[in-house]
Amino acid sequence: MNFAAWPTLFVVDVEGNGANPPDLVEVAALPVRDGGPDTSTAGAWLIRPPRPVTSRAAGIHGLTNGLLAQSPRWGEIAEQVHGLLGTAWICAHNAHTDYRVLKAHLPNWEPTGVLDTLRLGKATYKDLSGYSLDALIKHTAPDLTAAPAQRHRATYDAYATAQLLIAMARHYDTWDQLVAAAVPRGLPGAPEPEEDPTLW
């Protein structure tokens, strides 16, 4: 795999307030460059949601209403997030969720493509009993000593997902092969299905 030939790509992760649909409380966008996560140019934002964080959500990611009380509202940082992501590819674990939530908050944003490490994990490791982020971390044993914060925070999960992407990408020879394995149908960047040949 020639990592230098990859297009601009951000591994993203979002955390919500537990509402349905969710309000964002944290967004992380971590570039992958030359086969590694580039934390020096990553974006990370804490957001004060318009509706309170539920106790269940706070129990998972640790972002309480008190902790977020001085954070900016989404409207104050939306342009920053959009400006960083641009039209780059994104990657996330169970990417439908992150893409859908980000798209709801950034209606004018559209990535060139969306890689999903959940889908990629199923294609790469066919005999695992599960493909959760934790299951793939256990299987691939990436170096997470430099990961910021802790599990279930957007910055940590984006770093872990980036390391998983890099580990699994080594099983593929080309970017196009990776895309074919990792982009879910219906999301940007999905390869066009081959049309059945006709008699004409």
Side-chain angles (χ1 to χ4, degrees):
M1 173 60 73
N2 179 12
F3 288 104
W6 281 25
T8 303
L9 181 145
F10 289 89
V11 178
V12 301
D13 191 78
V14 302
E15 301 298 335
N17 65 338
N20 190 17
D23 301 311
L24 291 171
V25 296
E26 188 177 27
V27 174
L30 176 63
V32 172
R33 292 194 175 95
D34 298 323
D38 181 7
T39 55
S40 67
T41 58
W45 299 267
L46 292 177
I47 303 122
R48 179 163 44 108
R51 295 172 290 178
V53 180
T54 66
S55 57
R56 182 177 181 276
I60 294 171
H61 49 54
L63 296 171
T64 63
N65 293 300
L67 188 65
L68 298 169
Q70 303 304 316
S71 297
R73 297 287 193 183
W74 174 250
E76 298 173 58
I77 63 159
E79 286 189 12
Q80 292 179 39
V81 180
H82 194 173
L84 181 65
L85 294 176
T87 58
W89 281 75
I90 66 165
C91 174
H93 193 73
N94 194 15
H96 280 282
T97 299
D98 297 80
Y99 171 73
R100 186 176 66 245
V101 173
L102 277 171
K103 185 70 175 169
H105 285 77
L106 294 171
N108 295 322
W109 164 74
E110 189 68 17
T112 299
V114 180
L115 301 179
D116 182 6
T117 48
L118 174 60
R119 181 182 176 92
L120 184 60
K122 291 178 178 179
T124 308
Y125 309 121
K126 299 188 184 298
D127 299 322
L128 298 188
S129 58
Y131 295 91
S132 67
L133 192 61
D134 288 321
L136 288 173
I137 289 171
K138 182 177 180 181
H139 182 73
T140 60
D143 181 1
L144 300 179
T145 53
Q150 68 277 343
R151 180 73 174 90
H152 298 298
R153 286 289 302 275
T155 48
Y156 183 101
D157 289 0
Y159 188 93
T161 301
Q163 296 288 42
L164 291 177
L165 172 65
I166 293 159
M168 291 188 286
R170 299 185 192 281
H171 292 259
Y172 299 85
D173 293 328
T174 66
W175 169 258
D176 288 344
Q177 289 177 4
L178 182 68
V179 165
V183 180
R185 290 176 184 167
L187 289 189
E192 293 292 329
E194 292 185 13
E195 294 185 7
D196 292 332
T198 68
L199 295 175
W200 314 106

